[in-house]
Amino acid sequence: MARRSTRRAIAHLRLDAGRAALDSDAQRQGSSPISTAEPFNPRLAAAVRQRATIDLAIAGMAAIVLLAVAAFSPRVFIDGDTNWHVAAGRWILSHHTVPLTDPFSFTYAGKPWIAHEWGSEVLMAVAYLAGGWSGVVLLIGLAAGTAFALIAQELRLWMGPLGQIVGLALTFCCLQPFIFARPHMLAAPLLVFWTSRLLAARRAGKAPPLELALLMVLWANLHASFIFGLGIIGPFAAEALLAAPATLKARLEVVRGWGLFGVIATALSLATPHGIAGLEFPFWVLGMKVLPNILEWRSATFQEPTLFEAALLITLFLGLWRGVRVPPFRLLLLVALVHMALQHVRQEAVLAVLAPMLLAEPFGRAMRPGQPEPRLTPPVGWKPNWRVPSVLVGSVLAAGAALVVGTRLAVPLVRVDNGNVPVTALARVPPQLLSQPVFNEYAFGGYLIFKGVKPYIDGRADMYGDAWVQEYLAIAGGAQPDVDRAFKRWNIRWTILSPREPLVRMLDARPGWRRVYADGFAVVHARADALNPFPPPPAVPSTVTPKRAP
């Protein structure tokens, strides 16, 4: 009897949610709301509260897991670019302006540089100044947890608890390798929120609210992923046009609403220090010839099993098994995202964020064919319901988040060596070398900038360009003419390189060069005259005649 009552209550919940949505639409159009003159049902209220409590627990736990991963996983600092992002943020805070030329390297000093992620860099610098590296990882964890909670909010509309958990687990498998301290994580919540609002607009059969376009001002100054936000407007607009009544007036209304939103969003994306150059920048980077030499821009490989491969295959299996039907324009968008993820490893994170949101409704409909409407009708517009369905669950989640934050701040994070950050090697470099020209490993450049050392090259390949990066690769590979020419042109006095570089072995055998320090992550060489820039003066002959022995 209890099960039957719960099912009946849930059925009433779905009916009431649909009626409430119709009432809201009717009120907006100025007509009378649909009557729902039914007596209060305590069982229905209990079912609503129970379901909302379970959903809150799932979303909250997912957010805490992401926060903990970011706070304590050593992978958060696996990327050397984290260091120059923080350094750039400190520079902006110190100079009260966004750099338009390179202030860090000695090879490209004063040349144009598009600091397109300056907003994220300022946030990272503020977090660093407030809490050291612990503050940075907590900032990244907060962003990742927020993105995950927003994804869970979209999944709960169409899936029960088990479906939400499976969807979040598959998302985590794809996203986990990319949870490190870089601006893309700070932009992730914006990508999720933007997509959820476009989906809500489609469910309501309307164009997105123009206020949503204001988000582009923030997004375009945080990370280049804003281009995805602009890009997905088209498929949703085409879907709305296809679903519109076959009348000229109705279709013109769709074109006007979605077109105006797209134009305003694009215009607001130009509100950056770089204007139109910031909009062109992502496309220019995709055309660089050296991208295959940068790990994150390489193609995905399936020579060894990966979590990304497992998530793809599981999703494909479940979709075929349940007979999932995806609307054509969303399917085209998914195919494009899969292609990008296979072409460039770094785009797997975009697929991980967008795929569960695009597939939530098709999977929900396939699992419950008799349920044409969302499991819970979401708020449409800018008035979300912030009521906590269970004070106990909310308090437990808040305590869990506070425990993660408190533990991380109580145990300060100390940077350690890895393949991209030579902490020990740089600390062992003689002080007189640090201000002299250096030839450094590409991945080490970010840490050199953070420590105040001007690098030969760093992770800003977009600034240096194809020709410079290719020349660097030839030098690091030990090409004799390139080594001699560059070392002479720039008066290179010392090097800090990965032990795997052929140039390390060349310098070991090169006259006038000495190995200063080496470990499993970095090798430091220096010119002998750089180690002793001020040789002792020659001995002056004595003018005193020595006494003869008696």
Side-chain angles (χ1 to χ4, degrees):
M1 290 295 293
R3 291 184 179 177
R4 194 172 300 167
S5 298
T6 302
R7 289 174 183 171
R8 189 180 299 112
I10 293 173
H12 280 291
L13 171 62
R14 293 172 181 162
L15 179 62
D16 289 351
R19 288 173 174 171
L22 292 174
D23 286 351
S24 178
D25 289 342
Q27 288 174 355
R28 292 191 186 96
Q29 297 170 5
S31 58
S32 300
I34 296 175
S35 174
T36 56
E38 294 183 4
F40 174 74
N41 188 334
R43 292 195 182 94
L44 176 60
V48 171
R49 194 172 188 84
Q50 180 183 18
R51 173 163 289 181
T53 299
I54 294 173
D55 292 343
L56 172 66
I58 293 174
M61 287 303 299
I64 292 174
V65 167
L66 267 290
L67 176 62
V69 168
F72 297 104
S73 172
R75 283 189 52 84
V76 178
F77 289 120
I78 196 66
D79 193 286
D81 287 354
T82 298
N83 304 281
W84 71 256
H85 284 304
V86 174
R90 292 190 305 187
W91 190 97
I92 294 170
L93 292 174
S94 175
H95 293 80
H96 305 98
T97 187
V98 177
L100 300 178
T101 58
D102 176 30
F104 296 125
S105 75
F106 71 89
T107 51
Y108 261 62
K111 295 185 179 181
W113 173 40
I114 299 178
H116 61 286
E117 298 166 330
W118 72 271
S120 295
E121 289 159 357
V122 168
L123 292 176
M124 294 173 69
V126 170
Y128 177 79
L129 295 174
W133 290 115
S134 296
V136 174
V137 297
L138 289 175
L139 174 66
I140 298 301
L142 176 63
T146 301
F148 231 51
L150 291 173
I151 293 174
Q153 173 70 16
E154 188 67 28
L155 293 179
R156 73 187 287 262
L157 299 179
W158 299 97
M159 299 181 179
L162 180 59
Q164 295 176 48
I165 293 172
V166 171
L168 291 172
L170 293 175
T171 301
F172 180 79
C173 288
C174 296
L175 191 60
Q176 185 270 335
F178 302 95
I179 302 176
F180 43 79
R182 280 184 57 176
H184 71 282
M185 287 308 306
L186 299 182
L190 303 185
L191 178 58
V192 177
F193 180 76
W194 178 272
T195 306
S196 71
R197 293 300 89 201
L198 296 187
L199 288 167
R202 281 296 303 120
R203 286 192 295 270
K206 299 179 179 180
L210 296 181
E211 305 95 306
L212 179 63
L214 292 172
L215 191 64
M216 273 294 157
V217 177
L218 173 64
W219 197 352
N221 288 286
L222 288 179
H223 189 254
S225 61
F226 76 92
I227 206 70
F228 290 109
L230 296 177
I232 64 177
I233 295 175
F236 285 115
E239 181 179 279
L241 187 61
L242 183 65
T247 63
L248 180 61
K249 180 180 179 181
R251 291 182 174 176
L252 286 177
E253 183 67 19
V254 171
V255 172
R256 186 190 68 81
W258 283 87
L260 180 62
F261 175 77
V263 169
I264 293 177
T266 303
L268 291 175
S269 72
L270 302 178
T272 70
H274 311 289
I276 190 66
L279 185 61
E280 297 171 343
F281 176 80
F283 300 100
W284 181 83
V285 170
L286 288 174
M288 294 184 65
K289 298 178 181 178
V290 297
L291 291 184
N293 296 289
I294 303 174
L295 183 61
E296 65 181 348
W297 286 102
R298 293 176 183 172
S299 299
T301 176
F302 299 104
Q303 294 179 347
E304 296 182 359
T306 63
L307 291 177
F308 174 67
E309 178 187 8
L312 280 181
L313 294 178
I314 292 172
T315 303
L316 182 62
F317 171 79
L318 293 175
L320 294 174
W321 176 40
R322 303 299 301 186
V324 174
R325 295 178 60 87
V326 182
F329 288 104
R330 298 190 195 188
L331 183 60
L332 286 174
L333 179 57
L334 278 170
V335 170
L337 292 172
V338 171
H339 167 74
M340 293 171 56
L342 296 177
Q343 185 181 30
H344 301 302
V345 172
R346 62 179 285 156
Q347 309 300 2
E348 293 177 8
V350 179
L351 177 64
V353 167
L354 292 182
M357 306 184 70
L358 296 174
L359 290 174
E361 180 178 347
F363 268 89
R365 291 182 182 276
M367 296 173 68
R368 294 181 174 84
Q371 179 186 332
E373 296 299 325
R375 172 174 170 262
L376 293 173
T377 301
V380 177
W382 294 90
K383 296 180 180 179
N385 184 356
W386 297 106
R387 289 179 298 176
V388 178
S390 172
V391 175
L392 176 60
V393 172
S395 301
V396 170
L397 294 175
L403 178 62
V404 173
V405 173
T407 303
R408 180 69 283 171
L409 292 176
V411 183
L413 198 155
V414 179
R415 300 296 301 275
V416 296
D417 292 301
N418 63 45
N420 297 316
V421 182
V423 176
T424 305
L426 189 61
R428 298 291 294 271
V429 173
Q432 68 267 27
L433 291 180
L434 296 177
S435 59
Q436 302 185 50
V438 59
F439 183 85
N440 59 277
E441 182 75 23
Y442 176 88
F444 294 170
Y447 188 66
L448 295 184
I449 290 174
F450 178 78
K451 300 299 287 186
V453 178
K454 292 185 176 295
Y456 181 93
I457 195 172
D458 55 79
R460 297 171 295 166
D462 52 276
M463 181 189 73
Y464 293 102
D466 284 322
W468 185 263
V469 176
Q470 288 172 344
E471 180 181 343
Y472 158 78
L473 294 172
I475 298 169
Q480 186 71 43
D482 297 281
V483 173
D484 294 339
R485 182 169 55 251
F487 276 38
K488 180 179 180 180
R489 176 186 177 187
W490 298 104
N491 190 28
I492 301 299
R493 311 282 284 178
W494 62 290
T495 66
I496 181 166
L497 298 164
S498 168
R500 67 177 182 273
E501 297 290 3
L503 182 57
V504 170
R505 296 185 292 275
M506 175 184 287
L507 293 177
D508 282 335
R510 195 179 183 95
W513 284 80
R514 290 172 49 190
R515 178 179 285 216
V516 176
Y517 175 80
D519 57 29
F521 301 98
V523 178
V524 178
H525 285 88
R527 280 170 41 176
D529 57 347
L531 291 171
N532 300 293
F534 304 107
V540 178
S542 176
T543 58
V544 179
T545 303
K547 295 181 179 180
R548 294 182 179 179

